[in-house]
Amino acid sequence: MNIRNWLLITLSSAVISCVVTLYFTPHILMAGINLKAHISNGHGVLSIRPKAEAGKDDIVRMSPDLLYSACPFSLAEGAYRITSPNIGSYLSMSMFAHNSDNFFAINDQQSPQGFDIILAKKGQQIDLPTGATLVETDSPYGIILMRYYLGDKKLSTINKFRQQAKCAVFKQK
Amino acid sequence: MHNLARTMRFLLMLIGILTGIFIGVSSGMWLLKAEIANTSTKNGAWSYNPHVGSKDASGLTRAAVAVIGFLGLAKEESIYFIANKDDNNDLLSGACSYKVTGMISPDDARWWSITVYDTNTNKLIKNPQNHYSFNGDNIEKMQNSSFVFHISANKKAGNWLPIQKDPQFDLTLRMYNPSKTSSEQIATLDLPKISKESCP
């Protein structure tokens, strides 16, 4: 291999890597989360993550004042139903598309009776349960994130509520 | 002999590809950091990026935001400020100690927190106390509801956030459920002051 060919290969891979970094970072990060979820628990499982701690924070800039529960979704498996009681302090549920867009967010003050959300593919026929809210998206996969404010409360107090939250494929009657 | 030449050719090609990937990713990250700086609003030592959590960001801005605020929320739900310099425009360094003073009332936001991160990794900084942040409920406040806390590698009296001597660090201020005034007047909000106390 002569030096010209070597430089051409190096330059080409540099340009391709730079473009991928510039435009596909969110897609790569989100695909990574989904792949990890698929290998460990699968989609439609709400994982209760431990309190953020140095060396154990796998996502950038996790807040140690929040407790996170995450549910990766893949709408190829059907619609999802996510329910959660309120905790008496800040709680939010947010949904992120495959390109990391935050397409939906709701907090405890906007839904004082707790959350009951159906997430479905745009245009999908859904027999909406009484009291539930329908959220539609074009995104084939992504992640649902619950944030619980810890404040000065005990971890065990918030965890009791976290364990009552559910995220699963919605089975229509 | 023929096999050796082929192996050498393959190794050279592999080195070329890996060198290219390293250069490409490094320059991409550098450009993303420049994009963050270009699209951020300044308020004293703090900067705010309106594209965190926004659906309207371009591909490039969205990638830049993913580096500093992956899975961040839109400003109606939370405002995120980042400071990597003090009020004198000097980079925050683990070798120095700092004092942060301010007052954030429930009229400004439902709750707030300030967290220390390693600037290079965007992760929490290891410390024996496992203490990385203060929030409006766990910080000891003065009678007028203002607060003071110290950031240093060596223990300080009062509210203290431990860091390591080496890394360059930055602070993230989160204001959840901000008031309409807070989310509309981001550039002029009265945010905490960051002053250097001592440096070796």
Side-chain angles (χ1 to χ4, degrees), chain A:
Chain A
M1 181 183 287
N2 61 35
I3 188 76
R4 207 182 66 174
N5 284 350
W6 189 84
L7 281 173
L8 201 67
I9 287 172
T10 307
L11 196 67
S12 306
S13 66
V15 170
I16 292 166
S17 312
C18 188
V19 171
V20 167
T21 306
L22 290 181
Y23 291 96
F24 296 102
T25 299
H27 300 77
I28 294 166
L29 291 173
M30 197 59 91
I33 287 178
N34 267 271
L35 184 67
K36 208 169 150 186
H38 194 69
I39 292 166
S40 52
N41 297 322
H43 292 101
V45 176
L46 189 68
S47 64
I48 298 178
R49 302 176 65 90
K51 188 174 183 288
E53 208 177 289
K56 294 178 185 168
D57 44 344
D58 51 355
I59 293 175
V60 295
R61 293 183 185 271
M62 284 180 77
S63 170
D65 300 284
L66 287 165
L67 296 168
Y68 300 87
S69 294
C71 177
F73 66 85
S74 166
L75 294 181
E77 295 173 7
Y80 282 67
R81 185 175 192 177
I82 312 103
T83 56
S84 169
N86 278 336
I87 59 169
S89 59
Y90 178 85
L91 159 66
S92 70
M93 177 197 296
S94 44
M95 298 180 178
F96 296 86
H98 66 290
N99 62 357
S100 84
D101 274 357
N102 175 206
F103 65 87
F104 177 77
I106 191 167
N107 65 50
D108 59 304
Q109 286 186 334
Q110 294 162 331
S111 185
Q113 74 287 3
F115 302 145
D116 188 358
I117 311 277
I118 303 286
L119 172 64
K121 218 184 280 178
K122 206 167 256 179
Q124 187 181 347
Q125 284 295 316
I126 295 289
D127 187 9
L128 201 64
T130 312
T133 304
L134 179 65
V135 177
E136 292 182 306
T137 180
D138 284 329
S139 182
Y141 65 89
I143 192 164
I144 300 157
L145 204 58
M146 314 270 287
R147 288 170 159 95
Y148 300 81
Y149 176 54
L150 189 56
D152 54 359
K153 287 196 176 66
K154 276 189 182 160
L155 196 61
S156 56
T157 310
I158 305 285
N159 275 344
K160 270 182 204 158
F161 288 102
R162 292 171 85 197
Q163 278 153 6
Q164 292 171 44
K166 288 186 176 60
C167 171
V169 172
F170 177 52
K171 293 187 175 76
Q172 300 205 60
K173 284 174 192 164

Side-chain angles (χ1 to χ4, degrees), chain B:
Chain B
M1 203 61 190
H2 182 67
N3 275 349
L4 184 69
R6 221 164 55 177
T7 308
M8 284 300 288
R9 226 178 15 242
F10 173 76
L11 278 177
L12 275 174
M13 200 167 77
L14 191 67
I15 290 168
I17 291 170
L18 292 176
T19 308
I21 290 174
F22 177 75
I23 294 169
V25 172
S26 304
S27 51
M29 292 305 281
W30 184 83
L31 287 167
L32 290 181
K33 282 183 181 164
E35 176 70 8
I36 292 165
N38 286 340
T39 55
S40 294
T41 302
K42 289 290 284 177
N43 177 337
W46 301 92
S47 64
Y48 162 78
N49 195 302
H51 301 292
V52 173
S54 167
K55 282 187 284 189
D56 307 323
S58 68
L60 181 62
T61 308
R62 187 182 286 129
V65 163
V67 175
I68 52 156
F70 188 56
L71 305 183
L73 295 166
K75 69 173 180 179
E76 293 74 24
E77 189 63 23
S78 177
I79 313 177
Y80 306 93
F81 293 95
I82 295 181
N84 65 354
K85 292 179 178 174
D86 63 19
D87 288 336
N88 282 332
N89 213 28
D90 294 327
L91 284 173
L92 299 174
S93 160
C96 304
S97 68
Y98 299 88
K99 185 166 84 173
V100 179
T101 54
M103 184 156 75
I104 303 170
S105 82
D107 292 337
D108 300 322
R110 189 170 164 200
W111 67 272
W112 62 268
S113 72
I114 297 179
T115 311
V116 178
Y117 294 97
D118 183 323
T119 302
N120 296 316
T121 61
N122 290 308
K123 302 282 180 79
L124 299 167
I125 298 175
K126 223 168 214 167
N127 65 79
Q129 293 79 8
N130 284 341
H131 190 26
Y132 317 101
S133 69
F134 279 114
N135 63 56
D137 293 309
N138 68 10
I139 195 165
E140 269 187 51
K141 292 183 200 141
M142 317 262 218
Q143 271 188 338
N144 65 355
S145 294
S146 66
F147 61 83
V148 177
F149 68 88
H150 304 273
I151 305 171
S152 62
N154 298 322
K155 190 172 168 48
K156 297 254 183 184
N159 295 316
W160 169 60
L161 278 185
I163 47 169
Q164 285 177 7
K165 278 205 166 111
D166 300 330
Q168 192 194 325
F169 71 91
D170 58 50
L171 304 174
T172 293
L173 163 62
R174 292 174 167 84
M175 292 171 69
Y176 271 77
N177 292 165
S179 67
K180 203 164 181 280
T181 314
S182 296
S183 57
E184 283 174 359
Q185 297 175 4
I186 281 163
T188 54
L189 272 178
D190 192 13
L191 297 178
K193 305 279 178 276
I194 308 163
S195 55
K196 198 185 290 167
E197 287 187 302
S198 64
C199 242

